[in-house]
Amino acid sequence: MATKYVFVTGGVVSSIGKGITVASIGRILKNRNISVSVMKLDPYLNVDPGTMSPYQHGEVFVTRDGGETDMDLGHYERFIDLELTRSSNVTAGQVYTSVLAHERRGDFLGGTIQAVPHVTNHIKECIFNLASETSADVIVVEVGGTVGDIEGQPFLEAIRQMRNDVGRENVYYIHLTLLPYIAATGELKTKPTQHSVRDLRASGIQPDAILCRSDHDVSQSIKEKLSLFCDVKVPAVIPLLTVDNVYAVPLILEESGLGDLLCESLDLSRRVCDSTTWADMVQRMQTSKTSLPIALVGKYVELPDSYISVKEALKHAGLHHDRDIEIQWVHSEDLDEAGAADVLLKQACGIVIPGGFGSRGTDGMIEAARYARENRIPYLGLCLGMQIMTIEFARHCVQYAGANSSEFDPGTPFPIIDLLPEQRAVQDMGGSMRLGIYPCRIMEPTLASQAYGANEVMERHRHRYEFNNDFRESLESAGLLASGMSPDGKLVEIAEVVDHPFMVGVQFHPEFLSRPNRPHPLFHEFIGAAKNTLREGAQAELPLDGS
Ligand code: GLN
């Protein structure tokens, strides 16, 4: 069968859930046993999101092969339960870098290099490349940004050309827009969608379906109006109402008939859809449960998207333990003041310190780690969180006053966390960290071995600094165990405090491997420990009758 392509563009405004929608389209196809892969085309000029501020761009998602990618890839992996590679995220920066490298090599034999065909050809090559790498039946392609953006033009032109390259019957264009609500008149407005479809048509693309994000019910007459003005059949005008639980979106799209429409148009109609497992999971998510407060201490907490995979991984583990995770976002700088931890972390049944870069806020994080250790509150340190945990331990349990990471204090007398010799010479900031999957050997019996039940695991990394082995012996004899090591025994990948219910730090990012129906073992174990932690004012177990 020829590979089929579903292209998803966005209209009217950004931030209306295009990533979740694309992930959900992937899921409804997978529920029909259709093999699918996904990619995001990002029109901005950065080469990858790795050097972008989390405030601007949310989390940097790391693929198994070490790609530093857009956070939407995290949604794709979680919803469709697949592992993507760097081929699934292409930015305009990468495209231009590559086209210009060809030009410098003389590959164009002195020709004039143009947006069409050179840039568009390269974009299409990236799409074809993913198709041949994955051999998926369907490739779902999200075009980042909003139709009308200047930098998006070559991407729209490339997906327009795809129609001729692979045949009209093998492509499907979906346009996601917003229907704004005017409270004074109580109406949903279709005009911005009409304009955005007109823009899309100006790029030569007639959408096959329009998904209308809305906070209010979309009436039949609105669907008919959009159908008439945008030349899309009424059943293909699909409302997408705002929901509390993003994992419900695949069920909503399936129910509105998008799966059938796709199958008919792309000639995949023989496939039967089975959403029962997903629907059961969504139902369990939506039943009320005892809430479990978990503090997430970071420096980008104003923008929770910076920690989206951590947030989701906590929720997944909570679902498994029948708990609603109530994340208490704690700004690490707010913990700088003496006594602040006693107030801000008072209710937390568990404390998570996620990844991060730079010294800002690290004192407050060290304070949170001290609080967790002294009060025996379960603690999970992710990458930076592991480094913080070992620094705190060195300062307060081994009396290494001023212990630190050389990232935060290059003159520290006790560089518990330090650069590896091969990292010292690195000058480029982009793509130069220890990235992607590496094996980790688990020592027994430890909290890590109890969680994983395996003696070797593969986890994804994104960091420059490492635990400094010069301090391993002194910290181990004080009760900080290296429970996971690189197979050559050189790098400490997991550390845990021995005399504590659960104080574990990992140099990698387990959050990237968590799935809604398959929580990551470390998150699972952490939430299990948090569940057994009694705090003042914590919500009591719900009575069985739910009253
Ligand atoms: N800044 C630390 C390092 O580079 C931790 C990185 C992270 O948390 N992802 O090693």
Side-chain angles (χ1 to χ4, degrees), residues 9 156-157 159-160 163 173 197 200-207:
T9 51
L156 293 180
E157 169 59 14
I159 67 165
R160 181 198 70 76
R163 189 172 65 207
Y173 297 104
V197 168
L200 191 59
R201 285 164 152 179
S203 300
I205 298 168
Q206 164 64 42

Side-chain angles (χ1 to χ4, degrees), residues 355-357 382-384 387 407 433 462-465 509:
F357 294 83
L382 308 168
C383 205
L384 172 65
Q387 301 177 351
E407 178 182 7
M433 283 186 262
R462 179 173 183 253
H463 56 104
R464 220 179 284 284
Y465 292 79
H509 290 274

Side-chain angles (χ1 to χ4, degrees), residues 83 103 113 135 142 176 191 220 231 257 259 288 515:
E83 286 202 75
E103 187 272 341
I113 318 302
S135 313
E142 172 179 354
L176 172 69
K191 190 73 78 191
Q220 183 65 17
D231 202 13
S288 133
R515 300 289 183 260

Side-chain angles (χ1 to χ4, degrees), residues 291-297 310 314 325-330 335 341 344-354 368-369 371-373 375-381 500-504 523 525-536 538:
S291 113
L292 183 67
I294 300 291
L296 197 147
V297 181
V310 178
L314 287 169
I325 304 297
E326 176 212 324
I327 300 187
Q328 303 181 329
W329 301 95
V330 178
L335 292 171
L344 295 174
L345 301 174
K346 185 169 80 190
Q347 286 171 349
C349 293
I351 296 174
V352 180
I353 299 196
Y371 181 89
R373 185 178 50 75
N375 293 284
R376 303 178 65 74
I377 308 297
Y379 173 101
L380 181 61
H500 192 283
F502 188 98
M503 190 153 190
V504 177
F523 279 85
E525 216 53 23
F526 167 67
I527 294 298
K531 206 168 126 178
N532 293 326
T533 305
L534 282 178
R535 303 295 333 242
E536 218 181 296

